[in-house]
Structure formats: structure tokens, C-alpha cells
Amino acid sequence: MGNVNVTGKKLLTVAVSLLVVLALLLQPCAAARPIYETPTIDGSRSLRLPLRGSMLRGPESVAFDGNDAGPYSGVSDGRVLKWNGPVRGWTTYAYGPGYDAKACTASRTRPTEVTESECGRPLGLRFHNESGNLYIADAYNGLMRVGPGGGEAKVLVNKADGVPLRFTNGVDVDQVTGEVFFTDSSMNYQRSQHERVTATKDSTGRLMKYDPKMNRVTVLQSGITYPNGLAISADRTHLIVALTGPCKLMRHWIKGPKAGTSEPLADLPGYPDNVRADIKGGFWVALHREKMELPIGPDSHLLAVRIDADGKIVEFMRGPKSVRPTEVVERKGGKLYMGSVELPYVAVVRE
């Protein structure tokens, strides 16, 4: 029996080694330098703001209006919802043109993938505080806007330079000028094909600016590999853009002597989704999963990283592997709101 046990252990060791090698081969991201002794938040210790409906899920982005009300979040049936506290819960705030509540309700016969392509899929959300307008990056409809009080959103941009938007993804707003910055992750693939964007190393993504005063869209940069979420810097001189496939952050300058140029900012230990400014002059970057993540081992992985203005990772958030976040938003007092495209709730993590 002793020899059998030894042989079994050897086989297990070999199997684990092969899994590690396979994981390395399958990861398109370059390896990031390890960071030690970095402060870590336990993301498993959270409250939940649950969605109603057995098939409803995916509060991908989290936004708050100028009066600090919310959160607001877009979900899988095409609506943007508003949280009204534990008694009322979530209520409908906005929806795309021609929205049909009955037709857009997912079921076993009409799965989420079908309803999203027909009803829209709100991803990035951002309010312009002065006007009260909410800008919505809808994966299928394009860049949309809804006025104060919500209701039916208007499609502002569904093509740029004559090329249709196929995968509208992240959005942020310059609160001073009202200009809106957003991404189109691919000119070849839609959101339902997002895995193909990574697998093929598609580099047809675009970074764009919408001027609401002129009603004009400008392509700031094209030929980007999987641009996802983005956030404007505290001094409003540049944008931080998440590049999901390469596991990197890019800085794109919008003001100053480098305006119109981009440069690498950081290598990340996972696949980034949305980026949001924190309250310390840096950013929170949600990681949908780690580069080297294996199905075996401890039930813990990186959920997000906080970076400073120079791209250095200064804090981690860890949690169970069943949680794959798409956005982390920090509010006053250090409270963190976490969205996920897969889960049926918004999580509230207390530092």
C-alpha cells in the first residue's frame, strides 16, 4: 500500500505540473512582476444588494448620481436599475429605445444571450453631475444618454468614422467640460463573442470622445487590443484604459504636450475590466480573473487592485473564486461597491 500511495502522489504531482504548464500556455498576458507585502482587503466580507428575478443578473457597472443616490447598475435584461434601499430594493431607472419588458425577460427558452442581443446590454455607466444626465455604454446599441429622472435612453453614437460600434464597453465623463470618453472593444466581435476578442488577440478596438455640445464623436485612438473600462485622471490630463487581453493599463493623454499619445502604465496580475478613480488620486481596477488561476487549490483569488497615479499597485482585494468582478467603486468612508457581469447582486465591501 505504501508504494501505491507514493505512486499516487507522484501522479498527482505530475498532473498538477501539467495543469500549471497548460495554464501558462493558454494565458495571452505577459507575466507581471510579483508584489510582496501589499495591503489586502478581504472581499468576501460584504453585504449584498440582491436583484429580483431568478434569471436576472449581471450588475456590470456601478454608478452614483450627483446627489450621491444609488447605486445604479445595468443588468442582463437591458435595463438600468436604481437601488432605493433594502425596503424597495431595485427599481427600473432607464432602458433602451423600443424596450419590451415581456420580450426582454430571460427564461429557459429565451436565455440571456438572446435577450441581450435584442434588448441591449448596459455596461459602463457614468453620470454628468451638473446636468444629471446618465451616459450608458450599451454593448449592442452604442453610447446612450438618459436625462434626469430616467426613462427611455437616446442613442447618441452607434458608429464612428463610418464604422459601426460592435462592442461598446467603458465610459467616463469629464465633469468640467461634459465631454464623454468611451471604448469600442472590437470592430470584429460583439459582446457575446468576447472570448474571441482575447483568443484571437483582436486589435481593432477604439478609444473615442463624444462632445455633447457639438454632438460630435472623435476617434482618439484605434488599433487597440481589447480596450475595456476607462477612467479620467484627477487632474483631467489623461485617461487610464484597461486592456483586457494583454492584462495591462494604458495611459492616453488628452491635454498637455503629450496630448493625443498613449503609453503603457502598468502590467497587471489578471484580466482587467472596469477602471474607476478612488478617493486617493489613484484607481481601482477590477480583475475578472487572475492570469495563473487554477481550478484546484485554495478558494481565493484576486478580485481587484488599487493603483496609484503612477500605476504602482498599492492594495489588493481578494475573495472566493466564484466572484468575478467587473467594477469596484469607492465611496466616502472607504466603502467599496463591486459589480459583476455574472452574479445576481452588487456587493458592498467595507474596508
Side-chain angles (χ1 to χ4, degrees):
M1 291 296 291
N3 289 335
V4 173
N5 288 338
V6 171
T7 302
K9 290 179 180 178
K10 287 182 178 179
L11 288 174
L12 179 60
T13 301
V14 171
V16 171
S17 299
L18 288 173
L19 282 172
V20 172
V21 171
L22 180 61
L24 283 168
L25 292 174
L26 292 176
Q27 305 301 324
C29 298
R33 292 176 294 178
I35 298 171
Y36 303 102
E37 300 180 359
T38 303
T40 301
I41 296 172
D42 183 0
S44 65
R45 300 177 60 183
S46 63
L47 302 174
R48 294 183 180 183
L49 311 183
L51 302 176
R52 295 173 180 171
S54 60
M55 299 291 289
L56 193 61
R57 61 189 56 251
E60 199 264 1
S61 183
V62 180
F64 291 82
D65 62 29
N67 297 317
D68 209 30
Y72 298 76
S73 192
V75 291
S76 57
D77 67 357
R79 292 178 296 158
V80 174
L81 307 181
K82 177 184 179 181
W83 176 254
N84 302 277
V87 176
R88 293 185 61 198
W90 296 95
T91 57
T92 300
Y93 183 76
Y95 40 86
Y99 180 81
D100 184 327
K102 184 176 181 180
C104 294
T105 299
S107 65
R108 285 191 171 89
T109 57
R110 288 179 57 78
T112 299
E113 292 76 10
V114 175
T115 59
E116 283 192 4
S117 62
E118 295 178 358
C119 306
R121 183 46 164 113
L123 297 179
L125 304 177
R126 192 66 164 170
F127 277 93
H128 178 233
N129 295 335
E130 183 179 349
S131 65
N133 291 328
L134 173 63
Y135 287 91
I136 305 165
D138 187 286
Y140 296 92
N141 290 321
L143 180 67
M144 306 195 303
R145 180 178 64 203
V146 64
E152 184 173 302
K154 176 183 179 182
V155 176
L156 302 173
V157 182
N158 57 17
K159 62 181 178 181
D161 289 348
V163 180
L165 306 184
R166 290 184 62 81
F167 190 171
T168 321
N169 204 329
V171 65
D172 203 357
V173 178
D174 185 323
Q175 296 295 337
V176 176
T177 66
E179 294 174 323
V180 182
F181 300 92
F182 65 104
T183 59
D184 182 25
S185 293
S186 172
M187 294 167 64
N188 293 321
Y189 300 104
Q190 294 184 314
R191 194 192 98 78
S192 59
Q193 303 167 303
H194 65 91
E195 292 179 353
R196 296 289 298 159
V197 182
T198 301
T200 64
K201 299 182 181 180
D202 181 89
S203 296
T204 62
R206 296 180 287 178
L207 173 64
M208 288 162 284
K209 178 181 74 174
Y210 172 73
D211 184 343
K213 297 176 182 176
M214 302 295 293
N215 190 30
R216 181 174 61 195
V217 62
T218 304
V219 177
L220 301 179
Q221 185 175 337
S222 58
I224 310 174
T225 304
Y226 207 156
N228 198 322
L230 77 163
I232 192 168
S233 63
D235 62 6
R236 303 172 38 250
T237 61
H238 61 275
L239 305 170
I240 304 299
V241 184
L243 308 181
T244 299
C247 297
K248 296 178 182 292
L249 295 179
M250 176 183 80
R251 174 162 32 205
H252 181 86
W253 294 93
I254 53 177
K255 291 184 179 180
K258 294 184 178 180
T261 66
S262 295
E263 61 193 28
L265 180 67
D267 288 324
L268 298 171
Y271 294 83
D273 203 298
N274 288 334
V275 183
R276 281 289 173 248
D278 66 9
I279 60 175
K280 300 179 181 179
F283 305 88
W284 274 104
V285 185
L287 301 177
H288 192 62
R289 65 183 173 91
E290 288 187 68
K291 292 177 182 178
M292 304 306 301
E293 190 166 313
L294 294 175
I296 59 176
D299 185 23
S300 177
H301 70 161
L302 285 177
L303 301 178
V305 294
R306 186 203 295 267
I307 65 167
D308 63 17
D310 297 317
K312 179 184 177 182
I313 296 177
V314 295
E315 195 165 19
F316 291 138
M317 183 193 295
R318 299 191 68 87
K321 293 180 180 179
S322 59
V323 177
R324 299 187 180 277
T326 46
E327 184 164 297
V328 173
V329 175
E330 185 172 16
R331 306 300 292 169
K332 294 178 182 178
K335 188 179 292 186
L336 301 170
Y337 289 79
M338 182 167 61
S340 170
V341 78
E342 299 175 356
L343 298 176
Y345 59 84
V346 168
V348 185
V349 180
R350 301 179 186 273
E351 289 196 68

